[in-house]
Amino acid sequence: MDLSDAALLIAAGLAAGTVNAVAGGGSLITFPAMIATGLPPVAANVSNSVSVFPGYVASVAGSRVDLPRGRELWSLLPTAVLGTIAGCALLLATPARAFELVVPFLVLGATAVLAFQGPLRRLVGHPERLGARRRTVTVQTMVALGTVYGGYFGAALGVMLVAGLALVLDATLARVSAVKNLLSAVVGLTTLVVFALFGPVNWAAVAVVAPATLFGGYAGARLARRLPQVVLKTVIVVFGTAIGFYLLWRALT
């Protein structure tokens, strides 16, 4: 790795950490950057998943005051771990081509759910009108689906988690974003352990990108707390749409 490659990865890490904290999808910055330095796609994807973990931890630190209190939040963590392990197993054991074609539609669908959150809530029922058991099952299902995706690819994980959780949680978007940051950190830690043991991680690339995502993640989380809810929602929807169409273009070319 020469100096120009290192500079590219540092810049990508800073940007990705910030974007992950605000909207999610920062891996679409670091993943192409790793490809540009000469890493093969699978090694780049695995190394990228490991690299963004410090940024997720920093995002949790920056948004910790918005995390809800109580056992309901912590009950989501085992589901997140199991979902992530399942996603990692899919990545390491199955061909990627079929999933590459599905991913853009998952991202665009998640973004649409967030964009049309109001009408969808009227259709499925506002969270405060759901029974406790139904709400718990729905939230756990959203977390399971999102973290399976996160273990497999990870890009736009934040968009997908925010979209699903905002539909079923009776909370402000800032609080939903804080929960998203915690779940993303769990996904990041789980992928780090699995891929460190079984994946083709390029540790030189990780050593350059990871510290940069740490700084970017903390700054992005602080920024997200100061944004009005409508602005934060608009940023996530716009970025999620762009990610979805980028992934679709990439899958078809």
Side-chain angles (χ1 to χ4, degrees), residues 56-245:
Y56 289 143
V57 174
S59 299
V60 174
S63 60
R64 63 188 182 280
V65 297
D66 289 315
L67 281 172
R69 304 293 184 261
R71 288 182 295 178
E72 185 176 3
L73 172 64
W74 302 109
S75 69
L76 300 177
L77 303 190
T79 302
V81 171
L82 293 175
T84 305
I85 291 173
C88 292
L90 282 174
L91 175 63
L92 296 175
T94 61
R97 180 57 183 166
F99 199 77
E100 285 179 358
L101 293 172
V102 173
V103 165
F105 299 100
L106 294 176
V107 175
L108 291 171
T111 305
V113 168
L114 183 60
F116 299 101
Q117 178 183 334
L120 286 172
R121 273 189 169 177
R122 288 192 291 272
L123 182 65
V124 303
H126 194 279
E128 67 181 10
R129 293 195 294 270
L130 296 177
R133 179 175 296 179
R134 183 181 173 189
R135 183 170 60 249
T136 298
V137 171
T138 303
V139 173
Q140 292 281 358
T141 301
M142 291 290 187
V143 171
L145 292 174
T147 53
V148 168
Y149 170 86
Y152 190 94
F153 186 54
L157 169 63
V159 175
M160 300 188 76
L161 287 176
V162 168
L165 293 174
L167 188 63
V168 297
L169 292 180
D170 185 21
T172 65
L173 201 55
R175 179 155 289 191
V176 170
S177 183
V179 175
K180 175 264 297 181
N181 288 339
L182 178 61
L183 293 174
S184 297
V186 173
V187 171
L189 177 60
T190 307
T191 55
L192 187 155
V193 172
V194 173
F195 291 149
L197 293 174
F198 305 108
V201 179
N202 185 298
W203 292 106
V206 171
V208 174
V209 174
T213 67
L214 186 66
F215 289 105
Y218 187 80
R222 302 295 290 180
L223 174 62
R225 290 196 68 237
R226 288 169 169 76
L227 289 175
Q229 181 156 319
V230 65
V231 175
L232 181 58
K233 181 176 179 178
T234 301
V235 169
I236 297 173
V237 168
V238 170
F239 200 81
T241 302
I243 290 171
F245 282 113

Side-chain angles (χ1 to χ4, degrees), residues 31 35 39-49 91-92 94 96 195 199-201:
F31 178 68
I35 292 288
L39 290 180
V42 172
N45 187 26
V46 168
S47 303
N48 178 63
S49 295
L91 175 63
L92 296 175
T94 61
F195 291 149
V201 179

